Amino acid sequence: MATYAVGDIQGCIDDLHALLALVDFSPAEDCLWVVGDLVNRGPDSLSTLRFIKSLPNKQVVLGNHDLHLLAVAAGHKRLNPKDTLTPILEAEDRDELLTWLQQQPLIHRDKILGFTMVHAGIPPIWAVDEAIEYAAEVHQILRSNLSDNFFSQMYGNSPEQWSHDLSGTDRLRIITNYLTRMRFCDPKGRLDLKTKTAPDTAPEGFSPWFDYEHHKCAKDKILFGHWASLQSNTGIANFVALDSGCVWGGSLTLLRLDDGISFSHSCGA
């Protein structure tokens, strides 16, 4: 049995199947980790969601596009012109798929394999244990009858920085923004959520979240996606970027966690 982690699929199901065929992936024997953003912008989000849900051995964390789908389905967000989510919203098995998706966590750690997976990243001020603890607060809300209220207030760029004193909506929003939307932050974890470009274009006073020597996860192996312009390269061996821009004509990246070997499929052909 092998365990693989795949970057942002975003509805590119044919590319995913091609990549899994490249490694002779066996659904009955192998396990697939999905780093979030299963859906949206690509050609077949519905088939992607159905396929991932059907796998007997899988681990999924939620990305910002997955949360966007859930917020739209809950009636608290409108579809954007570039969204490709309508087939899911109109599917006969819509409720089953969305219920399953909403049960997925924001972070996953496997102590035996030695990897932690999150969609966007972990701020330099949090250790893995802290990130797991705070993510669990959001996960608990998503699995409760309070989820509707969460989706109604999920969006926003404030607060910009974590504080233990935060509570309610502000606390849940900053946790969600760190784990599913973050690219740039300052040394104390203050977020810049407006800049979405390459890592060398950081606003003054900010850097990529992984680029701090004092990062409390500096000795941990962190898998993440979300940032296609990184092209799967952070320059830091244990911070592993998996989003290589498949939906934008780049490639889809698969990492075998057992031995660290990476595989890639070109999505622009």
Side-chain angles (χ1 to χ4, degrees):
M1 176 179 176
T3 300
Y4 297 90
V6 67
D8 301 35
I9 305 166
Q10 295 196 240
C12 298
I13 187 65
D14 290 343
D15 296 299
L16 176 61
H17 285 315
L19 183 56
L20 294 179
L22 182 66
V23 298
D24 294 323
F25 180 84
S26 170
E29 298 180 3
D30 299 327
C31 180
L32 185 66
W33 288 21
V34 185
V35 77
D37 279 4
L38 286 69
V39 300
N40 209 14
R41 305 299 171 85
D44 199 342
S45 293
L46 176 58
S47 292
T48 302
L49 203 55
R50 285 173 173 165
F51 175 70
I52 298 298
K53 180 179 179 295
S54 74
L55 291 174
N57 304 304
K58 58 183 174 293
Q59 181 61 57
V60 174
V61 295
L62 293 173
N64 54 299
H65 281 286
D66 308 313
L67 289 172
H68 174 63
L69 167 61
L70 293 170
V72 170
H76 295 297
K77 187 70 174 178
R78 293 183 178 181
L79 287 172
N80 296 321
K82 295 181 180 179
D83 287 342
T84 58
L85 300 172
T86 300
I88 297 175
L89 300 171
E90 296 179 348
E92 292 183 359
D93 54 346
R94 159 197 163 125
D95 291 344
E96 178 183 346
L97 292 169
L98 294 178
T99 298
W100 169 78
L101 186 65
Q102 195 165 319
Q103 303 302 306
Q104 306 312 305
L106 296 183
I107 192 170
H108 172 71
R109 174 173 59 182
D110 187 310
K111 291 184 177 180
I112 295 176
L113 289 171
F115 284 95
T116 298
M117 178 174 64
V118 63
H119 179 62
I122 299 175
I125 56 173
W126 287 357
V128 170
D129 285 342
E130 293 173 301
I132 291 172
E133 176 185 348
Y134 302 141
E137 297 179 28
V138 179
H139 192 204
Q140 182 178 6
I141 294 296
L142 286 172
R143 301 183 69 176
S144 75
N145 58 10
L146 298 176
S147 62
D148 187 70
N149 184 63
F150 170 76
F151 288 127
S152 73
Q153 303 182 63
M154 179 178 68
Y155 284 90
N157 293 349
S158 63
E160 297 180 335
Q161 187 171 341
W162 170 255
S163 167
H164 291 286
D165 296 331
L166 290 171
S167 62
T169 297
D170 284 347
R171 185 180 179 93
L172 296 173
R173 187 184 296 125
I174 187 70
I175 294 169
T176 304
N177 283 345
Y178 276 141
L179 300 179
T180 69
R181 295 181 61 204
M182 176 175 61
R183 291 183 179 89
F184 296 104
C185 67
D186 76 2
K188 296 183 178 180
R190 182 166 61 97
L191 285 169
D192 179 327
L193 291 171
K194 296 179 180 179
T195 307
K196 301 180 180 181
T197 49
D200 58 358
T201 62
E204 185 176 355
F206 293 83
S207 290
W209 65 266
F210 51 79
D211 208 21
Y212 290 101
E213 291 185 2
H214 74 278
H215 201 299
K216 293 178 74 173
C217 297
K219 296 183 179 180
D220 298 287
K221 294 179 181 179
I222 309 297
L223 302 172
F224 70 100
H226 185 59
W227 201 345
S229 62
L230 290 176
Q231 286 299 298
S232 301
N233 181 28
T234 65
I236 303 171
N238 56 311
F239 287 157
V240 183
L242 292 175
D243 183 7
S244 45
C246 180
V247 75
W248 311 117
S251 62
L252 191 61
T253 296
L254 191 69
L255 179 69
R256 190 161 59 206
L257 303 187
D258 312 85
D259 57 14
I261 296 177
S262 181
F263 306 86
S264 180
H265 165 76
S266 177
C267 302

